[in-house]
Amino acid sequence: MTVPPSDTVRLVFLGAAGVGKTSLIQRFLYDRFEDRHRCTVEELHCLDPEPGALQLRIEILDTSGSYSFPAMRKLRIQQGDAFALVFSLSQPETFREVERLRSEIMLVKGTEVPMVVVGNGIDQFPGVDAVGPGQLINLQAGATAELQWDCSYVETSAKINHRVWDVFEEMTRRVNSPDWLSPALERRRASAEPEPNRRRRPNRKQQSCTLS
């Protein structure tokens, strides 16, 4: 089944290296988490519609945190419909990359761009009574995203699966897509495969998914 481009929504994950972009996507799609960090070049995950399900194709682009090719990053921004700007709550300096990326997105696409700021790693700060360095970056990032940028702010943990679903739901809400997080999609998302892995598992449904 071929879905028209107008029925495709591309969600792009951006952020510094090692902040958990891949972990969030892996947790959402496959409900798994790997402690070992691996460098991501670029992976595009596709969720194609099925008969009787919502006729909307979802593409989730996992980008590299090293950004070796600025021209390619600009192209991916141009192709994106909604953006998750991810930083690590245990590494406050990674929020500066979020600030830079937001400026670049606005330069490429204009001011009205659906963006969600994601502070990943909330499991490392279990105490909420005392205000320490971890809590301070939470407060500062949340205030900047919601009050200054008019973006949603979500604190997550890919490790313990805390509010990962909310990130994807908020991204599609901001891009004015219908409620695609349906039971049919939930059953189907576990069968989605990143592009490099498809030939290794022929028993799973093949899905057309290209980077261009």
Side-chain angles (χ1 to χ4, degrees), residues 122-178:
I122 193 63
D123 59 282
Q124 300 183 51
F125 305 101
V128 296
D129 296 330
V131 178
Q135 283 73 26
L136 284 177
I137 186 61
N138 297 19
L139 295 172
Q140 293 169 357
T144 299
E146 294 180 343
L147 301 179
Q148 296 183 26
W149 298 346
D150 192 27
C151 295
S152 295
Y153 175 64
V154 183
E155 292 175 353
T156 64
S157 169
K159 184 174 183 178
I160 63 173
N161 199 13
H162 176 72
R163 298 197 67 188
V164 174
W165 185 278
D166 294 349
V167 173
F168 293 85
E169 189 171 50
E170 186 62 23
M171 291 175 77
T172 55
R173 185 188 70 80
R174 283 191 164 257
V175 84
N176 295 320
S177 292

Side-chain angles (χ1 to χ4, degrees), residues 47-63:
L47 294 170
D48 287 324
E50 292 179 339
L54 185 64
Q55 299 304 297
L56 182 67
R57 171 185 168 117
I58 303 296
E59 298 179 347
I60 303 171
L61 180 62
D62 185 7
T63 65

Side-chain angles (χ1 to χ4, degrees), residues 24-75:
L24 290 167
I25 294 171
Q26 293 288 325
R27 174 63 80 179
F28 175 74
L29 289 176
Y30 315 119
D31 194 23
R32 67 183 182 221
F33 176 80
E34 297 180 7
D35 281 309
R36 183 175 59 87
H37 172 256
R38 63 179 180 86
C39 295
T40 300
V41 177
E42 189 174 79
E43 289 183 341
L44 183 65
H45 306 260
C46 299
L47 294 170
D48 287 324
E50 292 179 339
L54 185 64
Q55 299 304 297
L56 182 67
R57 171 185 168 117
I58 303 296
E59 298 179 347
I60 303 171
L61 180 62
D62 185 7
T63 65
S64 169
S66 60
Y67 302 132
S68 301
F69 306 101
M72 183 64 70
R73 182 178 68 251
K74 181 178 179 180
L75 177 62

Side-chain angles (χ1 to χ4, degrees), residues 11 13 21 24 43 47 53 75 79 82 87 93 106 108 113 119 130 144 149 159 162 172 174 182 199 203-204 206:
L11 313 179
F13 279 67
K21 301 183 297 295
L24 290 167
E43 289 183 341
L47 294 170
L75 177 62
Q79 295 173 332
F87 72 99
E93 68 277 6
M106 295 182 67
V108 173
V113 184
T144 299
W149 298 346
K159 184 174 183 178
H162 176 72
T172 55
R174 283 191 164 257
S182 62
R199 292 184 180 178
N203 58 313
R204 290 189 172 183
Q206 297 294 312

